Amino acid sequence: MADVLRFTERGIHCPAGDFFIDPWRPVDRALVTHGHADHAHDGMGRYLATEAALPVMRHRLGPEAVLEGIAYGERRRIGGATVSFHPAGHVPGSAQIRVEVGGEVWVASGDYKTAPDGLSEPFEPVRCHAFITESTFGLPVFKWRPFEEENAAIDAWWRAAAADGRPAVVGAYALGKAQRILASVDASIGPILTHGAVENTNAVMRAQGIRLPDTIRVTPETRIKDHPGALVVATPSAMGGPWMRRFPQAATAFASGWMAMRGVRRRRAADKGFVMSDHADWPGLNEAVAATGATRVFVTHGYTSIFARWLREQGYDARPVETEYEGETLDSPDPGTAEDAA
Amino acid sequence: MKRFAQLYEALDATTRVLPKVAALKAYFEDAPERDRLWTVALLSGRRPKRTVNATFLREWAARAAGIPLWLFEESYPIVGDLAETIQLVLPDPSRTADLTLSGWIDRIRALAALPEAERRADVLDAWDTLGGTERFLFNKLITGQLRVGVSQKLMSRALAQATGIEEAEIAHRLMGRWAPDDVTWDALILTPDPSADLSRPYPFYLAYQLDDPPEGLGDPAAWRAEHKWDGIRGQLVRRGGEHHLWSRGEELITDRFPEMAATRDFVPDGTVIDGEVLAWDHEAGAPLPFARLQTRIGRKTVPKKLLQEAPAVLRAYDVLEWQGRDVRARPFDERRAILEGLMEGVPKDAPLDLSRLLAFEGWDDLAAIRAGSRALGAEGVMLKRGDSPYRDGRRKGDWWKWKVDPLTVDAVMIYAQQGHGRRAGLFTDFTFAVWNGDELTPFAKAYSGLTDEEFRRITAWVRRNTLERYGPVRAVRPHHVFEIGFEGIQASPRHKSGVALRFPRMLRWRHDKPIAEANTLGDLKEMLAAYG
Ligand SMILES: [Zn+2]
Ligand SMILES: [Zn+2]
């Protein structure tokens, strides 16, 4: 049987439907798993994504982009292929894309996490013959605590900083992680300030009905003295730069899966690291693969060759594939920040 | 162990001095006495020896985690630390235990005497009892690798604050030979008996690099200068009819340099000399290359042949104790006069030699002397105020080292590898090559010298310009030229290029240079001939 999906230099291609999934070079028709910049590139003829992902994509790709929405679980025929989108649990609106051609089913999962985060539509396993999985945290050293525990740790840290008379500045992706923190913190501790890039995403999400606490956008006029006991939600890139100068004496923290590693925590020179990721940990990746019932597995962005080798030893026909997806990186520009908001 | 783990986390969470000192002070005020002693020991490098072989630990941990050994081995370099890798791969502990730091250390030391099967059972039991940072620290202790990001100076400061004793006095009390098992808190810190340890050295005074022009130091007449010799900083302690030689790392190296026994003939009891241990050419009256001294470092016993090939001397810089009295507070000029008087009676072939003061008129004069340092086998010059006391630790102001500029070559990056630990996720380890005809021959690896921002940029570039992968190493398109700085060069048949460099690092990313303009192997060979 011919492959339902192929890995090309433009992205993941479906010959039967002549469309691409998360392409990184211009193509006519793009099916997009979610709005992060490494998955939703601009320059495509038209886009198909979940209804819940559309507002952020519109915000990022501009008014000219041709966007079409689809509900989770809705089946649609494209050429010789039938496609449907299923929750990936990564960020609000994120999806795994199921593609069926002549009874053969492949699933491209984009970015996903299996554990709930209190904000995104929970991950749903999709049965398939071949599964395309990420491997951002595809090593047995990555194991996340339940999100409630990490949320409680953030509240405790914020409370301690507030009691100390210092602002608490946490660095988190502008799309997804930041809102996850906002939705979970105990907003009665103090006021919440946000970096412009975070606030832009907040506005988009509020407009689509996602409930977030009240926030105050940080502008050049913002004086931290006017907001005692504040939590400041910033982008990781802003935390290293001059933007931080307005918060001297701040308690600082990063929220990322990489914070599981002591070396990374130290390099970021933040006082604290919260291990919080929008990607699956090692047990999550393994559970997800098993739950698909797939025999073939393609491993993209992350520890691709290691995770593929491990899967082969578990009896899968697995191999790594090169893509231009980036996973959760602290070192390149924030994938949630399309524009550099002040 | 919980209290110690809490201290470790507090110290690890910040690079700022004040919170570190505050965390230590609080610990020294409320931790149990034996834990305090052990903490001082650990923070001053007095670690218990490794009790379990690392290979065993990897196998046990992989099995306990339910993963194949290869997967553990792949994870280890990415985490960058064995103790942490074990901490992270193992399942959560199923029990808790309430053992103190010293209790754990006793348990760890008892492991050494156990047969392998029991040792394994005990380690697995500990892993199943300890979680998070405590498990990490346990692993560090059994592998003899525990390091804490606190200088001796900060620890002394915290102890001073916790006890009310002067910081310099604390620093001196902590020097030399002592072990937590043999002392009490009172005898070590609070009321030590000065004659208890005749071998005890003084804390070394370390100078900062002078980055600005020396004109900023004011009147040259207030300053003394001497060459900065390239060896092992050492302290010769002569007391009670004995002699002891200490390295700057507070290691007793008396046995490694048996020739120093002859100093007993000229250096009277009650004397402590600070100097540089060098491999020495007695005929020429000049130091041998550092590579010769290297053949002596790390050897606990010295074969006769080596004693002849690379004889050592202590080149004396300063005197810290004279006639049984601590003279560190007296001005440098006075100490120097004592030292010169002492050296007058020392024969030329003795393992003791005086580091001469350099006569100079003005700063320009000294700059010229500095520029010629390398040819004499020196690293540059030292500047010391004539009226300065001998301080402890690294301090600014009275002493400066003014090193010669490093040797440099422009080289092409050909391989890249991701960094470990602190720099996981970034490409930071690079191999550099020079032209050999129309081929690029690798000659050095370097992983420091760029800013985080530059590492980020080069990482993004490496991802897009990988030609081939060999395990973790990526061959990249030859495109970028870097200026590589290094302190020395020596012949090395083990390297393809035939040379080995000392302390190579990236000085600059030469965006302006095409790869055709990088240096050649011929250029390196010329440097080898001149400075090797
Ligand atoms: Zn994503
Ligand atoms: Zn991704």
Side-chain angles (χ1 to χ4, degrees):
Chain A
M1 179 167 298
D3 287 347
V4 171
L5 297 173
R6 284 185 187 154
F7 299 93
T8 74
E9 57 186 21
R10 292 171 175 267
I12 303 170
H13 184 237
C14 174
D18 194 22
F19 59 81
F20 286 82
I21 295 174
D22 292 354
W24 48 83
R25 304 257 171 81
V27 299
D28 174 46
R29 187 166 202 165
L31 276 58
V32 172
T33 57
H34 67 291
H36 277 150
D38 57 322
H39 293 261
H41 289 260
D42 57 11
M44 310 301 158
R46 53 198 159 141
Y47 296 84
L48 182 65
T50 66
E51 309 277 4
L54 283 194
V56 163
M57 287 177 57
R58 171 65 68 203
H59 169 66
R60 289 225 14 258
L61 299 170
E64 306 292 309
V66 182
L67 306 182
E68 193 185 345
I70 182 170
Y72 282 117
E74 178 189 335
R75 289 178 158 239
R76 196 170 290 195
R77 188 90 187 159
I78 303 179
T82 306
V83 302
S84 53
F85 288 55
H86 306 268
H90 173 56
V91 293
S94 67
Q96 314 172 65
I97 301 178
R98 179 187 186 275
V99 184
E100 180 172 349
V101 177
E104 171 89 357
V105 178
W106 286 38
V107 170
S109 57
D111 292 341
Y112 69 90
K113 75 171 172 299
T114 51
D117 64 12
L119 184 69
S120 311
E121 304 82 0
F123 177 86
E124 276 176 22
V126 181
R127 302 288 295 180
C128 58
H129 300 101
F131 185 56
I132 302 169
T133 180
E134 59 142 315
S135 58
T136 307
F137 293 106
L139 287 182
V141 296
F142 296 109
K143 288 176 272 184
W144 314 147
R145 294 198 285 174
F147 75 101
E148 296 90 343
E149 283 182 35
E150 216 63 47
N151 290 347
I154 294 182
D155 279 346
W157 165 77
W158 179 13
R159 228 176 247 120
D164 230 15
R166 305 160 72 195
V169 185
V170 59
Y173 275 9
L175 166 55
K177 192 85 57 72
Q179 289 75 31
R180 200 176 140 182
I181 292 172
L182 289 170
S184 70
V185 289
D186 177 356
S188 71
I189 299 172
I192 302 174
L193 275 58
T194 48
H195 182 274
V198 172
E199 195 51 35
N200 291 346
T201 314
N202 289 354
V204 173
M205 289 199 179
R206 283 193 185 106
Q208 72 186 97
I210 294 173
R211 289 195 50 187
L212 298 172
D214 292 339
T215 51
I216 304 161
R217 180 192 290 265
V218 174
T219 65
E221 287 74 45
T222 303
R223 292 188 329 168
I224 191 62
K225 283 198 190 71
D226 302 336
H227 310 281
L231 173 72
V232 184
V233 182
T235 59
S237 39
M239 288 201 53
W243 188 84
M244 273 303 283
R245 279 191 215 127
R246 62 195 93 196
F247 309 112
Q249 309 296 324
T252 55
F254 278 100
S256 162
W258 295 112
M259 292 298 140
M261 290 204 277
R262 175 171 172 263
V264 181
R265 282 200 300 277
R266 290 164 60 83
R267 175 157 55 82
R268 298 308 298 193
D271 306 335
K272 194 133 183 92
F274 296 109
V275 185
M276 183 187 258
S277 181
D278 287 329
H279 296 263
D281 62 359
W282 174 259
L285 289 169
N286 280 283
E287 278 161 30
V289 169
T292 62
T295 50
R296 292 175 78 183
V297 183
F298 299 92
V299 184
T300 65
H301 57 322
Y303 296 105
T304 50
S305 37
I306 297 173
F307 190 49
R309 178 175 170 194
W310 159 259
L311 290 175
R312 281 197 300 279
E313 289 188 2
Q314 311 308 305
Y316 295 94
D317 171 13
R319 70 176 174 89
V321 280
E322 284 284 331
T323 61
E324 293 197 3
Y325 311 136
E326 287 182 350
E328 179 166 325
T329 161
L330 283 166
D331 299 307
S332 59
D334 187 351
T337 322
E339 67 292 320
D340 232 337
Chain B
M1 190 83 134
K2 274 203 181 58
R3 181 70 185 91
F4 183 66
Q6 199 189 354
L7 170 69
Y8 182 86
E9 282 173 7
L11 296 173
D12 205 37
T14 179
T15 49
R16 290 179 301 148
V17 168
L18 286 179
K20 280 190 196 244
V21 173
L24 279 166
K25 173 176 182 272
Y27 180 87
F28 288 131
E29 282 166 351
D30 70 17
E33 169 168 343
R34 266 200 86 215
D35 278 17
R36 268 181 274 153
L37 277 170
W38 264 112
T39 299
V40 172
L42 294 170
L43 265 50
S44 59
R46 293 166 173 84
R47 293 181 279 272
K49 280 204 198 74
R50 184 177 72 198
T51 42
V52 185
N53 176 308
T55 313
F56 283 147
L57 286 178
R58 291 141 98 128
E59 284 167 10
W60 300 346
R63 189 160 341 146
I67 57 170
L69 187 59
W70 71 261
L71 185 52
F72 184 91
E73 300 291 359
E74 289 277 7
S75 304
Y76 170 28
I78 293 163
V79 176
D81 184 282
L82 180 64
E84 190 185 352
T85 310
I86 295 173
Q87 175 208 337
L88 294 173
V89 297
L90 291 172
D92 287 339
S94 67
R95 287 164 307 164
T96 54
D98 217 10
L99 205 54
T100 60
L101 168 67
S102 38
W104 275 108
I105 289 175
D106 289 342
R107 195 171 150 183
I108 287 165
R109 288 191 297 179
L111 286 174
L114 296 179
E116 193 196 313
E118 284 173 49
R119 207 185 314 166
R120 174 166 171 269
D122 207 35
V123 169
L124 290 176
D125 181 76
W127 282 341
D128 196 30
T129 310
L130 296 166
T133 304
E134 291 182 79
R135 187 191 275 165
F136 170 76
L137 292 169
F138 170 82
N139 294 338
K140 285 286 179 194
L141 287 167
I142 46 177
T143 48
Q145 304 265 312
L146 181 66
R147 279 181 187 79
V148 185
V150 171
S151 64
Q152 291 252 51
K153 193 158 114 186
L154 284 199
M155 179 174 65
S156 303
R157 187 178 306 170
L159 280 169
Q161 287 183 11
T163 59
I165 300 165
E166 211 189 312
E167 188 182 323
E169 181 56 33
I170 293 272
H172 191 201
R173 287 176 187 182
L174 296 181
M175 297 291 287
R177 279 184 300 196
W178 60 269
D181 291 330
D182 317 328
V183 291
T184 59
W185 187 253
D186 188 68
L188 180 71
I189 306 284
L190 302 179
T191 51
D193 168 6
S195 66
D197 181 6
L198 287 175
S199 76
R200 178 179 292 164
Y202 292 94
F204 284 85
Y205 181 10
L206 306 172
Y208 275 96
Q209 166 71 11
L210 183 68
D211 289 321
D212 302 322
E215 279 74 13
L217 299 178
D219 182 5
W223 292 85
R224 313 292 166 257
E226 61 194 307
H227 275 116
K228 182 181 187 315
W229 301 102
D230 186 12
I232 310 169
R233 184 85 178 273
Q235 215 176 100
L236 180 73
V237 176
R238 276 280 289 128
R239 291 187 199 119
E242 303 276 317
H243 82 283
H244 299 275
L245 186 65
W246 292 91
S247 76
R248 199 187 91 185
E250 247 189 90
E251 205 184 343
L252 200 51
I253 52 173
T254 319
D255 295 342
R256 299 186 194 185
F257 295 96
E259 53 266 78
M260 294 300 158
T263 57
R264 295 191 200 180
D265 300 340
F266 335 105
V267 181
D269 251 7
T271 308
V272 175
I273 293 173
D274 175 18
E276 195 87 14
V277 179
L278 298 168
W280 194 251
D281 182 340
H282 281 280
E283 250 163 58
L288 291 163
F290 186 80
R292 290 283 195 95
L293 185 65
Q294 254 171 342
T295 62
R296 300 279 307 262
I297 300 172
R299 297 196 72 129
K300 299 235 158 147
T301 55
V302 196
K304 253 212 175 91
K305 189 160 166 277
L306 204 52
L307 275 177
Q308 279 157 11
E309 282 172 6
V313 303
L314 180 73
R315 199 144 219 219
Y317 292 137
D318 212 327
V319 60
L320 315 185
E321 184 173 302
W322 179 242
Q323 294 173 339
R325 254 186 240 120
D326 178 354
V327 294
R328 292 177 297 160
R330 290 160 70 173
F332 176 81
D333 286 342
E334 276 183 38
R335 299 197 309 274
R336 182 77 198 182
I338 297 171
L339 182 66
E340 285 176 7
L342 162 71
M343 292 301 299
E344 263 166 30
V346 176
K348 213 171 159 275
D349 59 350
L352 193 61
D353 180 79
L354 182 68
S355 172
R356 325 236 155 233
L357 287 186
L358 301 165
F360 67 103
E361 294 289 322
W363 295 123
D364 287 350
D365 211 12
L366 188 62
I369 295 172
R370 165 181 175 259
S373 300
R374 206 187 305 272
L376 296 173
E379 289 183 291
V381 294
M382 289 293 305
L383 282 163
K384 300 173 179 177
R385 285 192 71 95
D387 59 3
S388 61
Y390 188 95
R391 300 180 185 274
D392 59 322
R394 198 177 287 284
R395 286 165 192 276
K396 287 193 174 165
D398 286 339
W399 285 19
W400 296 97
K401 60 180 174 195
W402 194 23
K403 294 222 260 186
V404 280
D405 296 329
L407 295 164
T408 65
V409 288
D410 290 330
V412 182
M413 180 201 292
I414 57 167
Y415 300 119
Q417 194 174 348
Q418 294 210 15
H420 298 153
R422 206 178 78 85
R423 293 150 146 195
L426 285 182
F427 282 89
T428 57
D429 299 12
F430 307 114
T431 302
F432 294 95
V434 284
W435 291 110
N436 181 15
D438 54 7
E439 251 179 53
L440 282 167
T441 300
F443 71 101
K445 284 186 182 184
Y447 45 84
S448 66
L450 297 188
T451 64
D452 277 7
E453 176 53 32
E454 285 175 315
F455 278 128
R456 264 168 232 163
R457 272 162 54 209
I458 198 74
T459 295
W461 182 86
V462 167
R463 290 216 170 97
R464 291 192 309 272
N465 291 277
T466 299
L467 300 178
E468 233 171 311
R469 297 175 187 222
Y470 313 94
V473 179
R474 294 183 181 209
V476 297
R477 191 161 61 82
H479 178 71
H480 287 297
V481 176
F482 288 80
E483 184 180 14
I484 306 299
F486 50 99
E487 298 304 317
I489 182 167
Q490 62 194 69
S492 168
R494 285 184 298 116
H495 292 86
K496 199 175 169 190
S497 60
V499 298
L501 308 186
R502 271 189 87 198
F503 303 131
R505 69 245 183 217
M506 292 167 269
L507 295 181
R508 261 190 312 158
W509 188 345
R510 297 293 308 256
H511 296 282
D512 55 317
K513 275 215 166 179
I515 58 170
E517 288 175 27
N519 281 95
T520 65
L521 195 54
D523 299 335
L524 279 176
K525 293 270 156 80
E526 272 176 34
M527 287 182 177
L528 180 63
Y531 306 114

